[in-house]
Amino acid sequence: MLRELFLTGITLTQVIGLCCLLWGVLLLVGAIFSGRGPFDFVKGGVLMAFGAYVVGLGQSLPR
């Protein structure tokens, strides 16, 4: 029972990381096409970096 809960937590960690990656990419694409300021580029880059970190964290945990 605890193993399944742990595996579910790992899966949720990876899903959250992938959602952050997708959100960051969409922010970058939106910033490129809307012509906004550099703050949107920074937000997109930070979200992508955070998403990559969280996905890597989920993959590095023992199963």
Side-chain angles (χ1 to χ4, degrees):
M1 170 98 178
L2 288 177
R3 178 171 166 73
E4 285 81 13
L5 286 174
F6 185 71
L7 291 176
T8 302
I10 290 173
T11 303
L12 285 176
T13 303
Q14 290 177 341
V15 168
I16 289 170
L18 290 173
C19 287
C20 287
L21 276 168
L22 180 64
W23 189 13
V25 167
L26 291 176
L27 272 176
L28 284 175
V29 169
I32 289 169
F33 287 120
S34 68
R36 287 199 192 175
F39 187 65
D40 287 336
F41 288 106
V42 172
K43 285 192 300 187
V46 168
L47 267 171
M48 286 177 57
F50 177 72
Y53 171 73
V54 172
V55 168
L57 180 67
Q59 289 180 352
S60 68
L61 293 174
R63 291 181 182 251

